[in-house]
Structures are given as structure tokens and as C-alpha cells.
Amino acid sequence: MSQSRHVPVMLQRCLDLLAPALTEPGSVVVDCTLGLGGHSEALLDRFPEARLVALDRDKEALRLSGERLAPYGERATLVHAVYDELPDVLDRLGVPRVQGVLFDLGVSSMQLDEADRGFAYAQDAPLDMRMDQTTGMSAAEVLNTYPPGELVRILRAYGEEKQAKRIVSAVVREREKEPFANSARLVELIRAALPQAAKRTGGNPAKRTFQALRIEVNGELSVLERAIPAAVESLAVGGRIAVLSYQSLEDRLVKQVLAAGAANTAPPGLPVVPERYAPRLGLLTRGAELPTEEEIAENRRAAPARLRGAERIRESIG
């Protein structure tokens, strides 16, 4: 499996956003989504004074990126953890505050490319989708055991799938004949269940259902809801966070957390704003930044990316 083909998305822009915070000796940068180590390697290269802490829940990703980052020796600490465990990880390492945090919320290319992981709807594979294959329910178990109402809720909430009811009634009918095990059967079923008009819009008709199952199986949104505020809290004053998301649900969540941190929370009409109401964050991006056309041409996985960044401008008080 060649690592060279994994092109980190919006790499240069992420590095530029974090750069002002990572020039001092002893500064610590956290890569919350290590994957194959593309962003991590670039961070270690560009910021020779910085130390890296990198997290991933996928043991195979940790093994491969461990080989890739071995030349950096002590400067790189790789940890098997989900990114909402960041406060515990930093606590264990005795790092009270960090200068930089990076999240790249795309499913790692490795997971999409490894046929037997069942993330991709383009090839037949066991319906697994767990990023950490040592724990939790697989996508097949979700499909085979969840009540219909719960499946409809997941497809609507996490896949923004308008045809959720149609798809779920087909799933329920089919799973009674034989439980789901592989992705091809699910893709076929979705194609058959959708009305003609719905098939004509936007790519593979199974895409939204697969996204919804992946988010449910890995608890991605609930993990993210805890992880982004925890990452903001871990920043030293002057520290910076950059977050790459790939779908509107994630981007909305990131936007809300950063906007709340950048808001003045004082009751209206105060002549002087007490410090505890002043913003803790300064936004570094106007809205979400998008990849350039050149980058999308080079790396089609960059197309849906949205980048947001913020700087910690004061401590929390009260």
C-alpha cells in the first residue's frame, strides 16, 4: 500500500494558519486525526522546534504512520485514542497546554482504499465501517438490528437522505429474508428503492446512506461535539486550531463552537465589558475556506473540504 498517493488536503493552508503559534522551542502541536501521517510529517518538517502528539483510533493507521514518522524520533508521540480523549492524553503526557491543534475529519484514504473495511460503496466489501476494529458495532449489525424508526432517524440526521423511509422499508424487508453482510447488496437495494428523479442528482445514490452508517458506527458527531471544545480548552493563549471538515453536519458543528468562543457574551447595555464576557477566540478564517480549483484537480478528495481556524486570545475566566 503506497503512502505516497495519500495527498493531505489543503496542507499548505493548514500549516500557514498554525505557523505563528509554532515557532518557539518546546511548542506542542496535536494532530487529532493522524491517519497515514501526511499532515503530521509536514508539521514536523515545517516546525523543527515543535513536538508532535498525534492521535488515531485505528491501529493499522498508527502502525503505518509510526514507520513514516520514525525518523523524527522523540519529537513524535503517537497515541491510540479517539480525539475526544485529548484532555486525558495530554494529562498523561504531562502537557498542560498546547500551541497548535489540527483536525482533518475526512475518513482516511487508507480506510477508503482498503477493500475489506467496507467504507466504500464503489466496491463490494464486508459492511464493517469501524475505524477502530477492536470495538463497537459494525455497520452490518446496525442495519440488521436497529428498529426501523431509528434507522430512518440516522439516515435523515447523518446522511441528510430525503428518501430515508423508502430505503429503510426496503432494508427491513430484505434483512428478514437474510441479514446484511456486504456492501454490494446494500448499494443494489438503495438503487432499486429510489425513485428515478432521486437517482439523477449528485453522484452515487448510496453515498448518503453510507455516510450516515459510518457516522453512527463511529459515533463521529457526538465525539466531535466533545472534541472541538476540549481542543479549544487545551490551547495556550496565542495557540491556534485548524479544522478540516468534509460534510455540512461537521462543518456546522465546528462553526458553532468557534463562533461561540469568538462571541462577546456580556448582557446588552453594559458600559464596560467585564473580562469574563470577552471573546476567548479570534477567528482566523472568514467563514469556511475552500480548496483551490488546482488542488481539486490534483486530489478529488479535496473537493468537499471546508477549513476553519481560530486563535486563543485569552484564558477562560469563571
Side-chain angles (χ1 to χ4, degrees):
M1 205 220 83
S2 88
Q3 294 178 358
S4 58
R5 64 154 184 240
H6 175 65
V7 187
V9 172
M10 294 180 81
L11 177 60
Q12 213 40 58
R13 187 63 189 121
C14 288
L15 296 175
D16 292 346
L17 270 182
L18 296 172
L22 295 174
T23 52
E24 295 298 308
S27 55
V28 177
V29 60
V30 183
D31 184 347
C32 286
T33 45
L34 172 64
L36 289 180
H39 282 111
S40 278
E41 184 175 43
L43 288 164
L44 288 162
D45 269 347
R46 168 114 177 234
F47 307 114
E49 301 291 351
R51 174 182 161 204
L52 170 88
V53 175
L55 280 52
D56 209 294
R57 56 163 71 175
D58 187 326
K59 286 192 164 162
E60 182 61 6
L62 283 163
R63 188 184 66 75
L64 288 166
S65 48
E67 291 168 13
R68 180 177 191 164
L69 301 178
Y72 299 94
E74 298 288 289
R75 288 182 57 211
T77 306
L78 275 47
V79 185
H80 182 230
V82 183
Y83 43 64
D84 66 336
E85 298 173 274
L86 177 63
D88 301 343
V89 170
L90 293 177
D91 205 35
R92 287 204 304 271
L93 295 173
V95 178
R97 284 279 195 257
V98 302
Q99 283 64 46
V101 179
L102 174 67
F103 284 86
D104 178 0
L105 299 172
V107 184
S108 114
S109 297
M110 178 184 78
Q111 291 161 338
L112 288 172
D113 294 337
E114 296 280 294
D116 60 356
R117 302 292 289 270
F119 285 92
Y121 35 81
Q123 60 225 51
D124 191 21
L127 273 171
D128 190 318
M129 298 197 195
R130 286 171 302 168
M131 290 183 193
D132 178 351
Q133 292 190 295
T134 62
T135 179
M137 282 178 105
S138 70
E141 288 173 272
V142 169
L143 271 182
N144 293 328
T145 63
Y146 275 30
E150 188 61 4
L151 284 176
V152 170
R153 184 192 68 77
I154 288 164
L155 262 58
R156 282 193 181 141
Y158 300 158
E160 302 181 277
E161 174 55 81
K162 295 185 177 67
Q163 305 290 337
K165 270 195 152 150
R166 235 176 233 259
I167 292 169
V168 169
S169 50
V171 164
V172 171
R173 198 171 56 241
E174 283 300 313
R175 77 185 185 185
E176 281 166 12
K177 297 180 198 165
E178 190 192 335
F180 282 87
N182 275 43
S183 56
R185 182 174 164 219
L186 178 59
V187 173
E188 262 325 291
L189 174 144
I190 293 167
R191 277 189 198 284
L194 291 183
Q196 277 310 112
K199 290 184 214 178
R200 283 197 290 273
T201 53
N204 192 308
K207 181 179 178 179
R208 290 180 294 276
T209 298
F210 273 66
Q211 172 180 303
L213 286 170
R214 193 195 85 215
I215 289 173
E216 172 65 16
V217 164
N218 295 293
E220 286 172 51
L221 287 176
S222 47
V223 169
L224 194 60
E225 264 172 301
R226 294 187 294 272
I228 302 290
V232 166
E233 272 313 302
S234 75
L235 287 175
V237 172
R240 291 176 162 221
I241 180 170
V243 186
L244 274 169
S245 43
Y246 296 78
Q247 34 118 334
S248 56
L249 298 165
E250 289 174 341
D251 183 51
R252 200 176 306 148
L253 211 154
V254 174
K255 176 186 177 178
Q256 284 164 352
V257 174
L258 298 187
N264 165 356
T265 55
L270 293 184
V272 177
V273 174
E275 189 163 335
R276 70 174 179 276
Y277 296 125
R280 290 173 305 141
L281 295 179
L283 299 181
L284 299 171
T285 45
R286 290 180 60 123
E289 290 188 8
L290 311 178
T292 62
E293 283 175 26
E294 295 79 47
E295 182 171 5
I296 294 169
E298 225 167 90
N299 178 11
R300 61 186 171 75
R301 287 191 186 141
R306 303 282 176 272
L307 174 63
R308 293 180 187 270
E311 179 177 11
R312 183 73 179 257
I313 52 177
R314 69 171 188 86
E315 284 295 346
S316 302
I317 300 169

